[in-house]
């Protein structure tokens, strides 16, 4: 097997046995990116060279791809938006500091939907990313570049961010493992904000063991993020026990509805049977407010986004455009021209929707109401977790869709996140793991949701399932 | 019901200048999305407390100890226009 196709834990074993060197793995990755990324476009800014440690002697000299919304000092960081063209942050995000301290090799910034607004990675200013399993299909989004890089063996593992499913849905579409940690588990310092009460950074990896390892490297309290949880961080690899005996798993009836692809449904049901064979107990549960999650999310997330993106005004950094003619006052004209040219269609749509929801006369009807429904959605999960240890659902209602299929209908794009969004509103952790392939060869993802700060349960269930199946061993042929 | 005038007003609140063709498209898009969001009106939430944050967030205090911060010169270099001494230049603010 080629070095770039190994998992991080296999590579670490190789380092220990001295059968491979960090440099040989890095060289192999560089060649792969050079040869393959023209087809996939997993990386947003191919011209920027990788960041290698001075000596490859750290504990984890593993090559990683980083989503383009995580700040890396002096390194092009643009959220795949024109408005941040040329921006090189003067500081590292906390997760980057941690990765650099562990000896990581940063291969580059992975492409994404502009400001993480999307489910297909088609809204990047720097071009579309393609699904390595079928180049006519989207990789999912918004962390589509990160997921595609891992699936195409252009990175050993990657970081993404998840506000409404942006790690899990692309992981599902690309046949890799993706985890959205509990809100507060990983520092958001240096993650360019989309919706601050929902955003969370997480790992995208080839298997569950790597996912636990990478979470070990990035988790923990950070004084620079006052919303990061001041709780002890366990060694997540200790949860990989291959034992789910007597674990209670809930199946929410609201997630198995019309509109779900038959192949997705069959694969998820087969996964449930598999786990039953390992001694897991399944119970029927109800999350009664599920149907309101997408509507709630698109008010709260856009409201927070409209506020967070107010900072892009052409003054301190990023793009500045001068208007051709005077419309209002000179400074207002500069703001409006800069933001017209700097933001793409979806970013404008979301900023405007959020501004509307927060505007005078509409605040109570939209924003406040959505915050109240968020309470009901969170209570649904609190109630459900009284009778079970985890919840299993599909990650997405379909496999990867065709490029261009949903770009003209924003609502149909939003609905592709129907199974992932509630998790962010409730702040709980959830993981997507491959559980099959469609007849036409596209990956299917299984989602496992857990109690707050119980990522260990997700790893335990996912690892048991993965080790009893072969899905994670299928490799993309490019 | 959302009108072209509403869209132009929200665009101004958002400090985004819209091309004519964008106004048309956004009116339709927002109308469709807000129509979908209407489903929240099926719920009676008058007695429900709003959630702004899932974790019990409290103010975080720390000692007022001096620490090194970013160099202003490193920060100013990203702006299109500044005086090189720590001030950003912007177009005329007051008429």
């Amino acid at each position: 097997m080629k070095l770039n196709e190994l998992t991080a834990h296999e590579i670490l074993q190789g380092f220990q046995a001295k059968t491979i060197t960090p440099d040989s793995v890095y060289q192999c990755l560089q060649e792969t990116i050079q040869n393959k990324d023209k087809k996939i476009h997993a990386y947003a800014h191919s011209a920027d060279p990788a960041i290698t440690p001075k000596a490859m002697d750290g504990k984890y000299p593993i090559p990683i791809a980083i989503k383009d919304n995580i700040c890396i000092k002096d390194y092009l960081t643009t959220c795949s938006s024109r408005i941040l063209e040329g921006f090189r942050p003067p500081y590292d995000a906390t997760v980057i500091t941690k990765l650099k301290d562990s000896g990581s090799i940063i291969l580059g910034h992975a492409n994404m939907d502009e400001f993480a607004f999307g489910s297909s990675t088609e809204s990047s200013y720097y071009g579309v990313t393609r699904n390595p399993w079928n180049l006519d299909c989207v990789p999912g989004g918004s962390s589509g570049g990160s997921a595609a890089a891992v699936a195409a063996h252009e990175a050993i593992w990657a970081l993404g961010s998840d506000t409404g499913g942006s790690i899990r849905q692309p992981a599902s579409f690309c046949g890799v493992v993706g985890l959205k940690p509990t809100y507060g588990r990983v520092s958001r310092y240096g993650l360019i904000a989309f919706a601050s009460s929902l955003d969370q950074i997480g790992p995208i990896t080839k298997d569950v063991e790597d996912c636990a390892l990478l979470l070990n490297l990035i988790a923990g309290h950070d004084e620079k993020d006052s919303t990061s949880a001041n709780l002890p961080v366990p060694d997540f690899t200790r949860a990989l026990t291959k034992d789910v005996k007597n674990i209670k798993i809930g199946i929410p009836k609201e997630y198995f509805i019309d509109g779900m692809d038959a192949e997705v449904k069959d694969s998820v049901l087969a996964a449930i049977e598999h786990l039953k064979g390992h001694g897991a107990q399944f119970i029927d549960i109800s999350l009664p407010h599920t149907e309101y999650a997408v509507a709630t999310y698109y008010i709260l997330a856009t409201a927070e986004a409209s506020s967070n993106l107010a900072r892009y005004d052409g003054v301190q950094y990023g793009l500045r455009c001068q208007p051709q003619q005077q419309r209002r006052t000179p400074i207002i004209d500069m703001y409006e021209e800069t933001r017209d040219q700097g933001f793409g269609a979806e970013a404008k749509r979301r900023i405007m929707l959020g501004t509307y929801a927060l505007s005078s006369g509409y605040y109570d009807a939209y924003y406040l109401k959505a915050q109240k429904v968020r309470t009901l959605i969170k209570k649904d999960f609190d109630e459900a977790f009284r009778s079970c240890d985890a919840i299993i659902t599909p990650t997405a209602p379909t496999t990867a869709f065709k490029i261009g299929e949903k770009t003209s209908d924003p609502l149909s794009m939003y609905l592709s996140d129907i199974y992932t969004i509630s998790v962010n509103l409730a702040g709980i952790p959830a993981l997507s793991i491959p559980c099959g392939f469609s007849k036409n060869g596209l990956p299917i993802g299984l989602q496992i949701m857990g109690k707050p700060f119980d990522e260990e349960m997700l790893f335990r269930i996912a690892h048991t399932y993965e080790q009893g199946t072969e899905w994670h061993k299928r490799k993309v042929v490019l | 019901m959302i009108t072209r005038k509403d869209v132009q007003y929200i665009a101004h609140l958002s400090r985004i200048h819209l091309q004519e063709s964008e106004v048309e498209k956004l009116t339709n898009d927002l109308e469709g999305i807000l129509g979908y969001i209407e489903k929240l009106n099926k719920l009676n939430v008058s007695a429900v407390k709003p959630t702004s944050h899932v974790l019990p967030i409290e103010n975080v205090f720390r000692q007022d100890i001096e620490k090194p911060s970013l160099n202003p010169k490193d920060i100013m270099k990203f702006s299109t226009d500044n005086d090189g001494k720590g001030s950003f230049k912007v177009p005329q603010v007051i008429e």
Side-chain angles (χ1 to χ4, degrees), chain A residues 148-334:
Chain A
V150 174
H153 303 289
E154 292 183 30
I156 301 300
W157 56 17
L159 288 187
S161 71
D162 190 315
T163 306
S166 281
I167 286 174
R168 291 160 286 153
Q169 186 254 25
S172 170
F173 281 11
C174 291
V176 292
V177 177
L179 170 75
K180 185 205 88 79
T182 311
Y183 184 84
R185 181 58 102 184
V186 177
S187 169
R188 291 184 297 111
Y189 178 74
L191 171 67
I192 298 175
F194 159 7
S196 310
S197 82
L198 304 164
D199 297 341
Q200 191 64 192
I201 295 171
I204 294 178
T205 60
K206 291 175 191 170
D207 70 5
V208 178
E209 185 171 345
D210 274 9
C211 195
L213 259 177
L214 187 49
L215 186 61
N216 275 354
L217 295 185
I218 61 171
H221 178 247
D222 177 14
E223 64 171 17
K224 290 174 178 162
D225 173 7
S226 59
T227 62
S228 71
N230 201 348
L231 292 172
V233 179
D235 174 358
F236 293 105
T237 60
R238 298 188 69 170
L240 309 174
T241 53
K242 281 190 236 174
D243 166 31
V244 289
K245 211 162 271 171
N246 298 325
I247 282 179
K248 269 197 187 155
I249 303 175
I251 307 292
K253 61 172 190 242
E254 292 82 2
Y255 281 64
F256 292 83
I257 43 162
D258 293 345
M260 184 195 300
D261 196 288
E263 288 178 301
V264 171
K265 187 176 178 184
D266 291 347
S267 293
V268 171
L269 293 178
I272 290 170
E273 286 308 310
H274 182 95
L275 285 164
K276 273 185 192 162
H278 283 275
Q281 296 175 20
F282 282 84
I283 56 165
D284 290 327
I285 58 162
S286 175
L287 298 166
H289 296 94
T290 298
E291 68 162 302
Y292 303 104
V294 173
T296 304
Y297 175 86
Y298 277 94
I299 295 172
L300 298 179
T302 58
E304 292 188 33
S306 72
S307 170
N308 275 325
L309 271 64
R311 71 191 61 169
Y312 304 105
D313 61 359
V315 175
Q316 292 162 350
Y317 47 82
L319 186 75
R320 179 189 286 196
C321 300
Q322 296 301 341
Q324 297 301 311
Q325 65 197 75
Q326 187 170 352
R327 293 184 291 257
R328 298 175 191 268
T329 64
I331 189 156
I332 300 277
D333 284 346
M334 185 278 282

Side-chain angles (χ1 to χ4, degrees), chain A residues 88 183 223 291 299 315 320 327-329 336 339-340 348-349 352 355 369 371-372 375 425, chain B residues 10 12 14-15 17 19 22 29 39 41 48-49 51-54 67 78-80 89 95:
Chain A
R88 294 174 186 274
Y183 184 84
E223 64 171 17
E291 68 162 302
I299 295 172
V315 175
R320 179 189 286 196
R327 293 184 291 257
R328 298 175 191 268
T329 64
E336 296 198 346
R339 289 162 67 82
D340 175 28
K348 286 179 188 171
R349 198 148 44 222
M352 295 208 17
T355 302
K369 174 159 254 174
Q371 283 192 316
K372 290 179 171 186
T375 305
L425 292 168
Chain B
I10 304 163
H12 176 54
S14 311
R15 297 291 183 267
H17 171 71
Q19 313 295 328
E22 288 178 297
D29 288 350
K39 67 157 62 189
N41 291 332
V48 181
K49 282 192 179 157
T51 296
S52 57
H53 239 279
V54 284
K67 282 184 195 168
F78 297 107
S79 70
T80 312
K89 284 190 184 172
E95 305 239 348

Side-chain angles (χ1 to χ4, degrees), chain B residues 29-61:
Chain B
D29 288 350
L30 292 185
E31 180 78 19
I33 297 163
L34 291 170
Y36 177 78
I37 285 170
E38 284 295 311
K39 67 157 62 189
L40 295 186
N41 291 332
K42 284 198 279 177
L43 290 169
N44 180 358
V45 289
S46 53
V48 181
K49 282 192 179 157
T51 296
S52 57
H53 239 279
V54 284
L55 299 174
I57 297 280
E58 286 169 19
N59 259 340
V60 178
F61 295 98

Side-chain angles (χ1 to χ4, degrees), chain A residues 13 21 95 107 111-112 116 130 136 145 158 216 227-228 259-260 299 315 336 406 422 426:
Chain A
Q13 274 172 5
T21 64
V95 292
L107 294 168
N111 200 23
M112 57 184 277
R130 292 172 183 276
D136 294 330
N216 275 354
T227 62
S228 71
M260 184 195 300
I299 295 172
V315 175
E336 296 198 346
K406 293 183 198 264
S422 299

